[in-house]
Amino acid sequence: DAGVIQSPRHEVTEMGQEVTLRCKLISGHNSLFWYRQTMMRGLELLIYFNNNVPIDDSGMPEDRFSAKMPNASFSTLKIQPSEPRDSAVYFCASNPTGLATDTQYFGPGTRLTVL
Amino acid sequence: AQSVSQHNHHVILSEAASLELGCNYSYGGTVNLFWYVQYPGQHLQLLLKYFSGDPLVKGIKGFEAEFIKSKFSFNLRKPSVQWSDTAEYFCAVIHANYGGSQGNLIFGKGTKLSVKP
């Protein structure tokens, strides 16, 4: 199993540009989570999906952020327009069942730098 | 709102020293508890978890954690650390909503452990 796959691994962009981060779940998993990690705020949940349906997006910072799950195995997190304060590492994680007792499997992260 | 506190931001130990990293959470209901580890340049991976049964949980690489419900704590321990344990450790808590969706996994801010050889 390849694990959770994220692309790109590093992204450097200029303020105002659109950024799209991608995540492929582990096959058979049905829950997907997007996290953001910064020095100041630690690891924060942005949004999570269960069976392709967004369940809780209260962590999405503002309307510039949007996430989609067009099919059971793939998700995108889009920032438009990007700002320097969006610089962070963005992790995607998946979970087999969506149950509270289940482990989350994290991807390697995308390090985003907005200049 | 639920919150997770990890009291130590950075811990520096020599090899063979004993380790205890503190974790306290604020939620009063039934919770599931996790410790994740992030080695330098790598992604988070599960170290151990507790959701019921024996409150002393053993994980990988000789780590263990004890759930003390009365203290709302889930401290991580290892009797003798190695240089390879240098990493950042995250405690996480989730409301154990068995009837429905997973809910929000709340992470602590993390504790960086540096082990000197």
Side-chain angles (χ1 to χ4, degrees), chain A residues 33 45 48 98 101 103-104 107, chain B residues 36 38 43 46 49 102-104:
Chain A
F33 306 80
L45 178 70
Y48 81 94
T101 53
T103 303
Q104 290 190 13
Chain B
Y36 283 84
Q38 187 176 24
H43 55 90
L46 182 71
K49 65 180 178 181
Q102 183 172 30
N104 193 350

Side-chain angles (χ1 to χ4, degrees), chain A residues 81-115:
Chain A
S82 58
E83 296 183 4
R85 61 193 167 120
D86 301 332
S87 297
V89 181
Y90 291 80
F91 288 101
C92 170
S94 73
N95 165 294
T97 62
L99 292 178
T101 53
D102 252 336
T103 303
Q104 290 190 13
Y105 294 81
F106 283 79
T110 295
R111 183 174 293 278
L112 173 65
T113 303
V114 183
L115 303 174

Side-chain angles (χ1 to χ4, degrees), chain A residues 9 31 33 35 37 39-45 48 50 55-56 58 89 91 95 98-109, chain B residues 9 32 34 36 38 41-46 49 51 88 90 94-98 100-110 112:
Chain A
R9 294 292 308 276
S31 291
F33 306 80
Y35 290 91
Q37 185 181 39
M39 291 286 289
M40 292 297 295
R41 299 173 68 90
L43 199 62
E44 304 172 281
L45 178 70
Y48 81 94
N50 204 27
I55 303 298
D56 184 352
S58 58
V89 181
F91 288 101
N95 165 294
L99 292 178
T101 53
D102 252 336
T103 303
Q104 290 190 13
Y105 294 81
F106 283 79
Chain B
H9 178 63
N32 296 325
F34 303 78
Y36 283 84
Q38 187 176 24
Q42 296 188 26
H43 55 90
L44 278 86
Q45 52 190 287
L46 182 71
K49 65 180 178 181
F51 50 90
E88 190 159 13
F90 294 89
I94 194 165
H95 173 207
N97 179 6
Y98 293 102
S101 62
Q102 183 172 30
N104 193 350
L105 185 64
I106 307 293
F107 282 85
K109 293 238 174 119
K112 285 189 179 162

Side-chain angles (χ1 to χ4, degrees), chain B residues 11-92:
Chain B
V11 172
I12 302 172
L13 296 173
S14 297
E15 274 194 317
S18 66
L19 169 72
E20 181 159 1
L21 301 182
C23 172
N24 287 89
Y25 63 94
S26 65
Y27 185 70
T30 304
V31 293
N32 296 325
L33 299 145
F34 303 78
W35 276 97
Y36 283 84
V37 60
Q38 187 176 24
Y39 296 102
Q42 296 188 26
H43 55 90
L44 278 86
Q45 52 190 287
L46 182 71
L47 205 53
L48 50 78
K49 65 180 178 181
Y50 170 83
F51 50 90
S52 66
D54 188 344
L56 184 62
V57 180
K58 295 200 184 294
I60 60 171
K61 304 185 180 185
F63 285 90
E64 65 179 31
E66 185 174 13
F67 171 50
I68 303 179
K69 189 174 181 179
S70 60
K71 294 185 178 180
F72 299 90
S73 70
F74 190 55
N75 291 356
L76 181 70
R77 299 194 292 248
K78 185 171 183 179
S80 176
V81 294
Q82 301 172 310
W83 176 79
S84 58
D85 294 324
T86 295
E88 190 159 13
Y89 294 81
F90 294 89
C91 181

Side-chain angles (χ1 to χ4, degrees), chain A residues 3-115:
Chain A
V4 175
I5 299 171
Q6 290 187 246
S7 65
R9 294 292 308 276
H10 300 271
E11 176 83 23
V12 180
T13 190
E14 292 187 343
M15 183 173 65
Q17 296 299 306
E18 177 180 299
V19 174
T20 300
L21 311 181
R22 296 175 178 80
C23 174
K24 185 175 185 300
L25 284 73
I26 293 174
S27 177
H29 285 197
N30 66 4
S31 291
L32 178 137
F33 306 80
W34 281 103
Y35 290 91
R36 178 172 67 176
Q37 185 181 39
T38 61
M39 291 286 289
M40 292 297 295
R41 299 173 68 90
L43 199 62
E44 304 172 281
L45 178 70
L46 300 176
I47 184 171
Y48 81 94
F49 295 82
N50 204 27
N51 293 318
N52 303 7
V53 177
I55 303 298
D56 184 352
D57 65 355
S58 58
M60 296 285 263
E62 45 197 278
D63 291 346
R64 298 184 297 107
F65 285 69
S66 63
K68 292 183 180 178
M69 199 166 173
N71 59 55
S73 62
F74 182 74
S75 177
T76 58
L77 177 68
K78 188 176 291 187
I79 309 172
Q80 165 64 20
S82 58
E83 296 183 4
R85 61 193 167 120
D86 301 332
S87 297
V89 181
Y90 291 80
F91 288 101
C92 170
S94 73
N95 165 294
T97 62
L99 292 178
T101 53
D102 252 336
T103 303
Q104 290 190 13
Y105 294 81
F106 283 79
T110 295
R111 183 174 293 278
L112 173 65
T113 303
V114 183
L115 303 174

